[in-house]
Amino acid sequence: MLKRVKKETGSNQKLFVMEATSTYYVGCAYSLHNKGEKVAVVNPRFTRNFREAMGQANKTDVTDAQIIAHYDEVKELHCWQPPVVILYLRIVWVP
């Protein structure tokens, strides 16, 4: 995934933004963070409200990605840091 992003954007400076949907985002966010990438995790309610404010009625994977990217442009997002419990579990459970 990182090779494709670097190839398509032509840049090493990027921020991966994802919604905090249940626990599904944790593995991806942790993996990217562990590789030294910048990650931001946003509340899906915020992006839904942003979508409504932008007047975007369609909800597809493509429009979701566009809305999240635009949300990042408008809002100054903070980089995600793994919760201490995740770091602890990685130390204890990973050989």
Side-chain angles (χ1 to χ4, degrees), residues 14-89:
K14 62 199 149 307
L15 174 67
F16 291 90
V17 183
M18 61 190 73
E19 292 180 326
T21 308
S22 184
T23 58
Y24 300 114
Y25 74 95
V26 175
C28 184
Y30 179 80
S31 178
L32 288 167
H33 180 270
N34 199 35
K35 292 185 184 309
E37 300 296 336
K38 295 178 183 175
V39 179
V41 178
V42 296
N43 186 323
R45 186 184 71 217
F46 297 163
T47 55
R48 184 187 71 221
N49 291 346
F50 186 73
R51 170 190 304 285
E52 291 171 0
M54 296 298 296
Q56 179 63 262
N58 286 348
K59 181 160 175 34
T60 65
D61 288 345
V62 173
T63 59
D64 278 351
Q66 291 169 341
I67 290 293
I68 292 169
H70 190 56
Y71 184 75
D72 171 45
E73 292 171 351
V74 172
K75 191 87 168 140
E76 190 171 317
L77 300 177
H78 300 288
C79 287
W80 177 84
Q81 295 292 321
V84 175
V85 68
I86 291 176
L87 298 175
Y88 174 76
L89 290 174

